[in-house]
């Protein structure tokens, strides 16, 4: 057996910036947050060299905080449990033979809410960033009304937002006034107010108010 030079430092990292619970909607496409992650470990030596100790049996990893939130599903893989509610998980990484240890904290995030936003139709460059459309006007000298594009957005507990429009289903509270066409287009059909809602990953959005008016454009 080769003798290693004295170990002087230890560091640990994970490949992902955040994880979620297997029972939370944040795991669902297109948000697609992982529910577990592998811990990588590097050990530094007196000579200035470093070595990858990932998977090395001399290294042990344990859950320090939020023990009810995560488990070590294998010696180097930490997994969030069903129905977890913690905001982070702290791990203790130890190389006992060299009396070295370090800690690692992994953020745990969840779906906060789902919201709907309508934007101009037809779309143009930057149209998704304009002020939301809440009114569909009658087109002057016709019996037709404006249309709008609708999107759904998932807001996570860390305040990040992901568009989930491609996987969402949209509903109008009164299709006689506003109908959902082509999956993501809202078409005004008669005067009045409706509520538009989206559903994604078994989650319903906040209601979005849209009014159809005879005031022409």
């Amino acid at each position: 057996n080769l003798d290693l030079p004295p170990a002087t430092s230890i560091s640990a990292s994970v490949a992902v910036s955040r994880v979620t619970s297997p029972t939370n909607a944040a795991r669902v496409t297109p948000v697609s947050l992982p529910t577990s992650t592998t811990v990588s470990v590097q050990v530094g030596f007196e000579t200035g060299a470093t070595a990858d100790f990932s998977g090395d049996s001399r290294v042990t990893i344990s859950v320090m905080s939020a023990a009810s939130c995560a488990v070590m599903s294998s010696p180097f893989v930490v997994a969030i449990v069903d129905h977890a509610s913690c905001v982070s998980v702290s791990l203790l990484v130890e190389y006992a033979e060299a009396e070295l240890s370090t800690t690692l904290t992994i953020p745990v995030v969840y779906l906060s809410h789902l919201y709907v936003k309508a934007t101009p139709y037809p779309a143009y460059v930057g149209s998704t960033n304009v002020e939301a459309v809440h009114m569909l006007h009658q087109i002057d000298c016709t019996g037709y009304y404006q249309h709008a594009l609708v999107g759904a957005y998932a807001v996570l507990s860390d305040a990040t937002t992901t568009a989930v429009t491609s996987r969402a289903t949209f509903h109008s509270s009164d299709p006689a006034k506003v109908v959902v066409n082509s999956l993501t287009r809202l078409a005004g059909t008669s005067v009045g107010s409706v509520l538009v809602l989206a559903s994604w990953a078994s989650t319903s959005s906040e209601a979005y108010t849209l009014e159809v008016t005879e005031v022409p454009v």
Side-chain angles (χ1 to χ4, degrees):
N1 294 332
L2 295 176
D3 291 329
L4 292 173
T8 57
S9 65
I10 186 172
S11 62
S13 62
V14 291
V16 299
S17 61
R18 53 191 181 162
V19 290
T20 192
S21 167
T23 50
N24 192 265
R27 78 190 190 286
V28 178
T29 304
V31 179
S32 304
L33 290 188
T35 59
S36 64
T37 186
T38 300
V39 180
S40 298
V41 179
Q42 296 285 324
V43 172
F45 298 94
E46 193 176 70
T47 60
T50 60
D52 185 1
F53 270 53
S54 304
D56 194 300
S57 60
R58 291 169 291 182
V59 173
T60 59
I61 303 175
S62 57
V63 178
M64 288 176 57
S65 64
S68 61
C69 178
V71 296
M72 298 304 300
S73 60
S74 67
F76 282 78
V77 177
V78 59
I80 308 304
V81 301
D82 291 354
H83 308 293
S85 59
C86 57
V87 296
S88 64
V89 172
S90 293
L91 304 177
L92 175 63
V93 182
E94 297 178 288
Y95 179 20
E97 183 178 300
E99 298 183 345
L100 294 173
S101 66
T102 188
T103 59
L104 179 65
T105 299
I106 307 168
V108 185
V109 301
Y110 311 92
L111 176 68
S112 171
H113 62 279
L114 186 68
Y115 76 89
V116 168
K117 179 182 178 182
T119 54
Y121 176 85
Y124 54 86
V125 175
S127 63
T128 58
N129 297 320
V130 302
E131 186 174 348
V133 172
H134 282 280
M135 188 169 292
L136 300 178
H137 293 267
Q138 187 175 28
I139 299 172
D140 200 13
C141 300
T142 75
Y144 298 98
Y145 298 90
Q146 290 178 311
H147 292 189
L149 293 175
V150 64
Y153 303 87
V155 181
L156 303 186
S157 56
D158 62 356
T160 58
T161 300
T162 301
V164 297
T165 306
S166 62
R167 298 294 182 121
T169 303
F170 299 92
H171 311 273
S172 167
S173 63
D174 189 349
K177 295 183 176 66
V178 172
V179 64
V180 181
N181 285 340
S182 305
L183 301 180
T184 58
R185 192 197 308 177
L186 303 174
T189 54
S190 64
V191 173
S193 295
V194 302
L195 298 178
V196 178
L197 295 100
S199 58
W200 166 77
S202 301
T203 302
S204 295
S205 72
E206 304 162 346
Y208 183 92
T209 302
L210 191 63
E211 184 178 349
V212 182
T213 176
E214 290 181 334
V215 177
V217 291

